[in-house]
Amino acid sequence: MSRTIWVGAVAYDPKVVGIWEGMRRYFHDEAGLAVEVVLFQSYEAQVAALLASPSERLPRIDIGWNTNLAYVQADAWSDHRCRPIAMRDTDVGWMTKIVAVTGGSVAKLADLNGRTLALGSRDSGHAAILPVYFLEREGLFEGKDYQTLRFNTDLGKHGDTGTSEADVVRAVLDGRADAGAIGSPFWNTVRTERLVPQGALTEIWTSQPFNHCMFTARSDLDPALEQQFAKALFGMSYDNPAHRPVLEAEGLRQWIAPQLDAYAQLREASTQQGFLTRPLA
């Protein structure tokens, strides 16, 4: 086997342990790669480990399984030297949905004027950062044209847990907010799993599509190791019964090459909202 590749992931849910046990087993047993996994409690800590220099008293990882925000942060703070490796097929084409009570006072975007919009965790690209950005492009400004009710739940997880989106939906249903912003995957879950009474909520607006997670390599990772890791990822098949449970648990059918254009809006929104200002050491 080659030298150990240290991969970081954030433990936003207990299932993450099982997912990465399965991934590690695949890398070792089938791909012949010595991959070890470090689980972090926040993306801030994970990005710091991805960017850490040998002289810093921090853990160092070679590759991070990053949210879209963590990816654009790592890219910006490494002066674009960190390298995108791969993403899920389901990371393409995410959208923000604004939902409201069916038949209520908010039926279209213009109706948000003078009303309250519920947002998820402030570090969630799909449920907070991008909604504010997209609404500004529609001529609606937070604090001026509408007020916000923010649910900063599970900060550090970048909205991965979905808890803040559930808080948003509850606030809309009980009247604390006139509308709420959630990601398209959560909206699909609300409808398919009937998390609210059928027909209780209506989608009143949909954003332009954007992309979500990205495997990101540290700038000085040996390109040969990076290529071996990517080749192993792309070798996983949904049709293989040994691979399918891990892929399903991670929410994909296929690993794909990076599609970078759809991160531009989040990069601009994150810059405007201060998320690309690097914390002081």
Side-chain angles (χ1 to χ4, degrees), residues 3 5-8 46-47 49-52 60-66 70-87 213-230 233 258 260:
R3 81 140 172 98
I5 301 172
W6 292 91
V7 177
Q46 179 167 293
V47 170
L50 187 66
L51 301 180
R60 299 179 80 225
I61 57 173
D62 299 305
I63 295 169
W65 179 223
N66 283 329
Y71 163 62
V72 300
Q73 288 175 329
D75 177 64
W77 297 341
S78 68
D79 293 325
H80 313 297
R81 291 194 299 267
C82 281
R83 301 187 297 271
I85 298 176
M87 55 198 294
C213 295
M214 179 70 73
F215 273 116
T216 313
R218 67 180 303 114
S219 60
D220 59 357
L221 178 64
D222 182 348
L225 285 178
E226 178 186 328
Q227 291 166 12
Q228 290 172 36
F229 183 86
L233 276 180
L260 301 181

Side-chain angles (χ1 to χ4, degrees), residues 8-238:
V10 170
Y12 67 88
D13 187 275
K15 72 177 182 180
V16 170
V17 175
I19 290 170
W20 281 99
E21 284 178 347
M23 291 285 287
R24 180 184 179 277
R25 190 178 309 115
Y26 164 75
F27 282 119
H28 277 249
D29 297 348
E30 292 193 46
L33 286 180
V35 170
E36 294 296 336
V37 181
V38 181
L39 293 181
F40 293 89
Q41 292 301 309
S42 73
Y43 283 101
E44 287 76 11
Q46 179 167 293
V47 170
L50 187 66
L51 301 180
S53 67
S55 63
E56 291 182 274
R57 298 184 62 184
L58 288 172
R60 299 179 80 225
I61 57 173
D62 299 305
I63 295 169
W65 179 223
N66 283 329
T67 59
N68 46 7
L69 176 59
Y71 163 62
V72 300
Q73 288 175 329
D75 177 64
W77 297 341
S78 68
D79 293 325
H80 313 297
R81 291 194 299 267
C82 281
R83 301 187 297 271
I85 298 176
M87 55 198 294
R88 302 171 297 186
D89 53 354
T90 49
D91 285 316
V92 176
W94 278 51
M95 292 169 282
T96 290
K97 304 283 186 176
I98 294 183
V99 299
V101 171
T102 303
S105 58
V106 176
K108 57 185 183 299
L109 205 57
D111 295 336
L112 278 177
N113 262 301
R115 300 190 184 275
T116 299
L117 176 70
L119 296 174
S121 294
R122 66 174 180 267
D123 59 6
S124 170
H126 54 278
I129 300 170
L130 283 169
V132 170
Y133 170 80
F134 284 130
L135 287 179
E136 286 187 5
R137 297 180 70 176
E138 297 284 346
L140 293 167
F141 290 81
E142 181 184 7
K144 175 186 173 185
D145 300 299
Y146 66 95
Q147 303 302 316
T148 52
L149 174 62
R150 289 178 175 263
F151 293 97
N152 289 318
T153 317
D154 296 329
L155 288 174
K157 306 296 194 296
H158 294 189
D160 274 356
T161 67
T163 305
S164 68
E165 289 170 281
D167 291 335
V168 166
V169 167
R170 279 192 291 267
V172 175
L173 288 173
D174 67 22
R176 285 176 291 156
D178 299 294
I182 57 177
S184 51
F186 190 79
W187 178 232
N188 291 337
T189 299
V190 166
R191 292 180 296 168
T192 58
E193 298 185 12
R194 298 192 176 183
L195 301 183
V196 303
Q198 189 169 5
L201 294 177
T202 298
E203 170 193 329
I204 67 159
W205 182 83
T206 301
S207 76
Q208 298 174 18
F210 52 88
N211 289 350
H212 202 247
C213 295
M214 179 70 73
F215 273 116
T216 313
R218 67 180 303 114
S219 60
D220 59 357
L221 178 64
D222 182 348
L225 285 178
E226 178 186 328
Q227 291 166 12
Q228 290 172 36
F229 183 86
K231 182 180 179 180
L233 276 180
F234 297 144
M236 298 186 79
S237 171
Y238 192 80

Side-chain angles (χ1 to χ4, degrees), residues 44 73 77 274-281:
E44 287 76 11
Q73 288 175 329
W77 297 341
F275 287 97
L276 296 191
T277 300
R278 191 169 184 179
L280 296 176

